Amino acid sequence: MVDVNLSDAEKRYIVDGVKLGTRVDGRDHLDYRQLEIETGLVSTANGSARIRLDRTDVLITVKMEMEPPLLDQPKNGQLHFFVNCSANAAPEFEGRGGEDLATSLSSMLERVYSSPHTLNTAKLCVVPGKHVKVLYVDIEILECGGNLFDAVSLGVKAALWATKMPRIYITGEDGGELEFSVSDNPCDVDRLDVS
Amino acid sequence: MGSRDSRRILGPEKSIPYSLLQTQEMKHFLAEDGLRWDGRSAVDPRKLFMSVGVISQAKGSSYLEVGNTKVCCGVYGPMDVQRGSDFNMSCKVLCEVKMAPFSCSVRKSPQPDKQQREMSRQLKDALETVIVLDKFPKSQIDVYLTVIEDDGGLLAACITAAGLAICHANIDVYDLVIGASLLWHDGILYADPTHHEEECEGHKIRNSGSEGGQLTVGIMPKYANGQVSLLVQGGQISADNLCEGLEVAVEICQRIYTLSRKTLIDYVEQSLEANSDSS
């Protein structure tokens, strides 16, 4: 998204090409660029994905924490999205420049994932009313080459699919407070259903 | 509840609104006679009141009441941009939506929260398409909205109020932009939902995941031939329902448009009379 000063002739070339049905890089108007998705990159996170759509590069990580639930939704877990446009992606993102784009991306994702059809947060409940799993999804925009919304939403879905959350067992009760044991076995994990 | 505001004296940290402890009774959307609980049919919009010229200090201002939703808008500009680094050959639009703490049943913090920031950004997107930006290089237009009471259809009311105020400020626009909001519940389309209906729908989507959703559109009805300047949709709506909803929205916007035009023309006639009386 570097601001390239196009001459009038170049603008005419692009517009006339689109009218004839061809874009500057030879694609048809409904064609996608080459897409690559990798998961399981970051070992410190419960789930991670990297998505590359030609020049657009986005890294998404998912971390799980346990917290008390929201008062009006005691049986549902939560999802929080944080988008960070790093200054590497485009010079205008330096400092607080990327904040507008970041808030619009994160509010779009929150709207999409608010429905139980996208992700059923009732499955993230551990003890209703007391403890639920909260998933913090951190999105890092490494390079901005256009079509960020598509890339970010695909990447979030991939990262959530790849998320491995250790299973939590309730071992006992000690004076009203529950005790938990978290499984150390890397294969004893819960997965998320993102279909 | 977020970062504490150190400049104001706030309530205790662990306070929760008592309404969360009350059992919420869900009123039925449509009674047996096909009318909603306030006597409207499913596609009737609420009563509207608009006036312009309410803020004397502002270049343009408007006040809008849609049912119980009350919004006041002030427009300042076009003014010079302060910093030379922000010089741009097209105008900069700064939009701020502020909800008064008493506007909702649960008290809102005086600091703008995520919903207000998102509304400000969406409104800015809508207004940037409506104003002829190339006519005001190196300038900025400030649009400030204050929500006095929120009873549903808030973003739509903000769009209409901002459109009116910008016209009142004599800023060049492509057309008057009007907002409309719609809701789908149990497969039925409701026009101009109230806050209670929006909450019930949101609650239902979160819990049962059935099809339903909300739509807010900003439309330029006349001179731009019904072009859409803003479309915000939440929930799950099929594409056919969305198209049907858009047609209903365009119809509602046409009706509101005639009222907006009349308000602006009446204001001009009144100020001409006042000028001729005084001279």
Side-chain angles (χ1 to χ4, degrees):
Chain A
M1 258 162 68
V2 179
D3 270 332
V4 178
N5 284 328
L6 291 171
S7 66
D8 281 338
E10 283 173 308
K11 286 181 190 166
R12 281 287 301 274
Y13 176 76
I14 295 174
V15 169
D16 288 346
V18 167
K19 281 186 192 161
L20 293 170
T22 320
R23 305 211 282 204
V24 182
D25 49 7
R27 287 185 284 156
D28 214 7
H29 55 279
L30 291 174
D31 281 342
Y32 251 78
R33 289 172 289 177
Q34 193 189 359
L35 180 67
E36 289 168 28
I37 308 181
E38 271 179 73
T39 56
L41 312 156
V42 180
S43 56
T44 47
N46 293 97
S48 56
R50 181 178 178 188
I51 184 159
R52 258 172 297 204
L53 188 65
D54 194 32
R55 299 279 276 276
T56 304
D57 202 343
V58 188
L59 176 67
I60 294 118
T61 55
V62 179
K63 282 192 88 65
M64 178 201 91
E65 304 208 349
M66 289 249 290
E67 279 183 16
L70 290 175
L71 288 161
D72 52 350
Q73 293 179 57
K75 294 190 194 145
N76 287 43
Q78 297 162 48
L79 253 96
H80 292 282
F81 295 94
F82 295 101
V83 179
N84 183 25
C85 298
S86 86
N88 286 329
E92 63 246 22
F93 291 160
E94 188 236 347
R96 298 189 68 178
E99 214 176 289
D100 269 350
L101 184 60
T103 40
S104 71
L105 277 170
S106 60
S107 53
M108 181 270 290
L109 286 167
E110 275 182 16
R111 253 206 307 269
V112 169
Y113 282 88
S114 62
S115 157
H117 277 306
T118 345
L119 183 76
N120 195 358
T121 47
K123 299 226 173 110
L124 295 174
C125 182
V126 179
V127 179
K130 293 255 185 69
H131 298 94
V132 294
K133 295 183 193 169
V134 177
L135 294 171
Y136 288 101
V137 183
D138 292 289
I139 296 145
E140 194 77 29
I141 314 272
L142 301 167
E143 200 185 338
C144 196
N147 204 3
L148 262 182
F149 278 80
D150 277 13
V152 165
S153 58
L154 277 168
V156 167
K157 189 164 172 138
L160 286 171
W161 174 85
T163 303
K164 297 188 166 85
M165 300 183 292
R167 221 158 261 170
I168 298 178
Y169 300 101
I170 301 173
T171 44
E173 197 165 331
D174 179 19
E177 285 292 315
L178 294 164
E179 281 180 1
F180 299 101
S181 89
V182 179
S183 166
D184 278 336
N185 185 353
C187 296
D188 188 13
V189 289
D190 284 329
R191 300 291 289 263
L192 289 166
D193 178 18
V194 279
S195 50
Chain B
M1 290 277 276
S3 54
R4 299 288 292 175
D5 186 1
S6 56
R7 290 172 295 176
R8 296 181 175 93
I9 301 171
L10 297 173
E13 272 197 41
K14 289 227 184 266
S15 59
I16 55 168
Y18 67 84
S19 54
L20 287 172
L21 304 169
Q22 283 174 329
T23 45
Q24 291 283 348
E25 64 154 82
M26 301 281 175
K27 292 197 191 121
H28 286 288
F29 273 54
L30 270 187
E32 290 81 31
D33 54 358
L35 295 177
R36 292 194 262 187
W37 62 276
D38 55 3
R40 290 188 284 155
S41 82
V43 288
D44 269 346
R46 285 176 290 183
K47 288 197 177 27
L48 223 76
F49 169 78
M50 10 172 117
S51 81
V52 285
V54 289
I55 304 173
S56 53
Q57 306 283 3
K59 181 102 188 288
S61 57
S62 67
Y63 174 73
L64 178 72
E65 273 187 35
V66 184
N68 278 334
T69 303
K70 301 173 174 79
V71 174
C72 182
C73 178
V75 171
Y76 297 82
M79 330 184 270
D80 290 331
V81 172
Q82 273 87 21
R83 296 202 323 252
S85 56
D86 285 343
F87 276 6
N88 201 350
M89 288 320 286
S90 61
C91 185
K92 208 169 103 161
V93 176
L94 180 82
C95 197
E96 195 184 315
V97 176
K98 192 115 195 292
M99 291 182 71
F102 47 80
S103 54
C104 296
S105 54
V106 172
R107 181 182 180 267
K108 284 218 167 305
S109 147
Q111 305 281 50
D113 61 4
K114 206 157 182 193
Q115 181 206 9
Q116 291 174 52
R117 283 203 300 263
E118 202 193 327
M119 266 203 292
S120 309
R121 200 188 37 78
Q122 287 164 344
L123 194 60
K124 175 173 176 290
D125 285 342
L127 294 176
E128 279 180 347
T129 51
V130 170
I131 303 175
V132 186
L133 297 172
D134 294 328
K135 274 218 157 171
F136 309 107
K138 301 183 193 166
S139 316
Q140 82 175 37
I141 296 176
D142 291 342
V143 180
Y144 297 111
L145 275 121
T146 308
V147 177
I148 299 168
E149 192 177 335
D150 173 18
D151 191 25
L154 187 57
L155 184 57
C158 289
I159 295 171
T160 314
L164 260 180
I166 288 176
C167 281
H168 177 240
N170 297 327
I171 293 175
D172 296 52
V173 287
Y174 291 113
D175 198 355
L176 245 184
V177 63
I178 311 279
S181 84
L182 303 159
L183 183 99
W184 276 267
H185 179 84
D186 280 343
I188 306 178
L189 174 65
Y190 295 89
D192 205 0
T194 59
H195 188 66
H196 179 82
E197 289 170 346
E198 284 178 354
E199 284 230 335
C200 289
E201 181 55 37
H203 195 77
K204 188 160 162 281
I205 295 179
R206 274 200 302 270
N207 290 347
S208 63
S210 55
E211 188 177 303
Q214 295 177 18
L215 177 72
T216 303
V217 278
I219 296 184
M220 301 190 268
K222 191 163 175 212
Y223 296 103
N225 291 324
Q227 284 184 46
V228 174
S229 78
L230 178 74
L231 190 140
V232 176
Q233 183 248 326
Q236 275 182 278
I237 307 170
S238 71
D240 291 331
N241 279 347
L242 194 64
C243 292
E244 183 201 322
L246 275 175
E247 286 177 24
V248 172
V250 170
E251 211 187 283
I252 294 177
C253 288
Q254 297 278 12
R255 285 155 72 173
I256 300 178
Y257 182 82
T258 34
L259 185 60
S260 304
R261 248 185 83 120
K262 185 172 179 301
T263 310
L264 284 166
I265 291 174
D266 284 346
Y267 177 78
V268 171
E269 283 177 351
Q270 271 172 19
S271 45
L272 280 175
E273 271 178 30
N275 276 346
S276 64
D277 282 344
S278 60
S279 62

